[in-house]
């Protein structure tokens, strides 16, 4: 009976703490269960909200803690939009996309309210409420910035350590959050985990030296991995240590300032936690410096071992007899290359006969040089495909512009819809499928007024220069005095086909 009562007491006394530890997992499963069935009749219910939550937490850890800046809603919107496009092939229009992103963000922040769930506390004999937020907001420079909470960081670390970052840095980020939220007791546990991580790295250094003593290649591989994944974060880790030390000092100052407004018991308890936390952080800084010295020592010793092994591998002579025997033993004729290549690639030393010195001194070269005949080849001019395309487009533009100006002289005013019908009659074909025609319309719509007499002076665009080519001597009198306006009619849309539409335009001659 005694053992029964012992574990029953343990169940009752620990239940509240266990419920508090479980709360960091509650928002993830709550959001994951939130289906997108209620949004737009469930057309996006295949989107995994759990995946979106994990990706969002990684974004906030990166920006809040590694880059030390808040996340704006615009930045979050761009991040989520990229996920929807990359992973779900969702290329939505701006309005639809913004509605979906807003819906997802509201579920992650729970409409600005904490996630809460109730449980029964057997000690207090009453129902308790546990509350947690993943993301909290702050107003900075008249804009709302969002930050991740310490509970959300703990949850993310419990799922899997960030692969590309230092575990020491991650724990220090969590420590900063705990100090800011005045959870000094939890901060002490975090620093102890940092010390354990540092001790593990120091121990790993000794293991690598042992590997190098009997297998250089495996030792080099382990050494490179250690430096690549852990040692390169020294500067960042050291700055985080300094930051957390300043936070502890600031927390102690605030505790001292608010001593009168708190009970003596709370004041003494908090001060004790802060002092213990400060002691642990100093021990961590000391061990971190020891790790730096240890890594430097590893680098020096590994270089010495590698140099020694490399020198031992070099041979002062080549044993042809040994290679010959090995070739016979393995029955591999390709090994004979080791015998023959050195003989076939002999380099003879060349010397100069001193008896030829007199000949060099008495040598008289021919003063006249032979004239080299230079033949000039004709330069061949090539026409590129781009030149051919440009020529075709310019010719088509000139034809279309002549027809447009003739219509202006005849009618004075007409719409693009009427001009389309006119072109169909003129060319007796499907002119509306010609891409150059729509390029022509796009160019002419860039200006709202044309004066043919002043184009020679302006020539602002390539299109203007093409129009000037129309004003040949025979056309100059006919078109030079022409002025006209280009007026868009946005409410009138011309449907060319089921896949293509164009806004109507009004062309109006000006006297």
């Amino acid at each position: 009976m005694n053992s029964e009562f012992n574990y029953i007491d343990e169940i009752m006394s620990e239940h509240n703490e266990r419920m508090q530890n479980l709360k960091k997992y509650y928002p993830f499963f709550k959001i994951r269960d939130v289906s997108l069935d209620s949004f737009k009749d469930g057309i996006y219910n295949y989107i995994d909200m759990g995946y979106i939550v994990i990706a969002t937490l990684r974004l906030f850890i990166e920006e809040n803690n590694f880059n030390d800046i808040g996340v704006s809603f615009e930045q979050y919107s761009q991040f989520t939009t990229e996920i929807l496009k990359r992973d779900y092939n969702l290329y939505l229009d701006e309005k639809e996309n913004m509605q979906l992103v807003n819906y997802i963000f509201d579920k992650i922040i729970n409409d600005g309210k904490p996630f809460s769930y109730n449980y029964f506390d057997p000690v207090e004999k009453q129902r308790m409420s546990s509350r947690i937020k993943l993301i909290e907001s702050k107003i900075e420079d008249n804009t709302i910035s969002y930050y991740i909470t310490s509970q959300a960081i703990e949850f993310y670390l419990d799922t899997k350590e960030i692969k590309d970052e230092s575990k020491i840095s991650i724990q220090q980020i969590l420590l900063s959050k705990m100090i800011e939220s005045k959870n000094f007791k939890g901060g002490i546990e975090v620093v102890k985990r940092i010390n354990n991580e540092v001790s593990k790295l120091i121990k790993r250094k000794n293991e690598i030296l042992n590997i190098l003593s009997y297998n250089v290649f495996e030792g080099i591989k382990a050494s490179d991995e250690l430096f690549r994944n852990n040692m390169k974060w020294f500067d960042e880790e050291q700055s985080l240590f300094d930051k957390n030390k300043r936070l502890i000092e600031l927390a102690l100052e605030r505790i001292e300032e608010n001593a009168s407004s708190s009970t003596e018991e709370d004041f003494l308890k908090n001060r004790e936690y802060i002092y213990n936390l400060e002691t642990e952080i100093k021990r961590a800084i000391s061990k971190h410096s020891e790790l730096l010295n240890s890594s430097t020592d590893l680098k020096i010793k590994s270089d010495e071992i590698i140099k020694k092994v490399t020198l031992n591998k070099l041979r002062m002579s080549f044993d042809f007899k040994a290679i010959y025997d090995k070739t016979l033993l393995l029955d591999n004729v390709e090994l004979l290359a080791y015998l023959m290549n050195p003989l076939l690639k002999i380099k003879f030393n060349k010397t100069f006969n001193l008896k030829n010195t007199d000949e060099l001194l008495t040598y008289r070269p021919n003063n006249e040089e032979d004239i080299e005949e230079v033949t000039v080849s004709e330069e061949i001019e090539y026409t590129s495909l781009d030149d051919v395309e440009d020529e075709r487009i310019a010719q088509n533009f000139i034809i279309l512009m002549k027809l447009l100006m003739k219509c202006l002289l005849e009618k004075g005013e007409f719409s693009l819809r009427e001009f389309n019908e006119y072109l169909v009659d003129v060319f007796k074909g499907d002119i509306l499928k010609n891409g150059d025609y729509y390029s022509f319309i796009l160019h002419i719509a860039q200006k709202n007024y044309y004066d043919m007499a002043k184009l020679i002076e302006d020539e602002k665009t390539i299109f203007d220069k093409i129009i000037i080519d129309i004003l040949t001597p025979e056309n100059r009198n006919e078109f030079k005095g022409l002025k006209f306006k280009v007026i868009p009619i946005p409410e009138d849309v011309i449907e060319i086909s089921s896949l293509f539409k164009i806004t109507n335009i009004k062309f109006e001659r000006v006297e």
Side-chain angles (χ1 to χ4, degrees), residues 120-134:
F120 177 74
D121 187 346
V123 176
E124 298 293 335
K125 303 296 183 184
Q126 62 180 5
R127 292 182 65 82
M128 307 293 286
S129 179
S130 183
R131 298 157 62 87
I132 179 175
K133 276 187 173 184
L134 294 180

Side-chain angles (χ1 to χ4, degrees), residues 147-162:
Y147 290 83
I148 191 170
T149 63
S150 61
Q151 293 97 334
I153 294 177
E154 282 190 84
F155 164 72
Y156 190 89
L157 295 182
D158 281 352
T159 57
K160 189 180 188 298
E161 291 285 1
I162 300 176

Side-chain angles (χ1 to χ4, degrees), residues 185-212:
K185 184 178 180 181
I188 294 172
E189 295 300 320
V190 172
V191 179
K192 288 180 178 179
R193 290 206 296 269
I194 292 174
N195 284 332
N196 290 336
E197 186 66 29
V198 174
S199 299
K200 185 173 72 174
L201 291 175
I202 294 174
K203 185 178 180 181
R204 180 58 179 162
K205 169 253 182 180
N206 295 326
E207 292 174 353
I208 292 173
L209 284 176
N210 185 42
I211 295 173
L212 283 168

Side-chain angles (χ1 to χ4, degrees), residues 458-470:
D458 294 343
E459 293 189 10
K460 293 181 178 178
T461 66
I462 297 175
F463 183 64
D464 289 343
K465 293 178 182 179
I466 291 174
I467 296 175
I468 290 169
D469 290 340
I470 299 174

Side-chain angles (χ1 to χ4, degrees), residues 91-102:
Y91 292 86
L92 307 175
D93 60 66
E94 186 176 354
K95 183 179 178 181
E96 180 89 357
N97 182 75
M98 188 54 64
Q99 289 178 350
L100 178 57
V101 171
N102 269 310

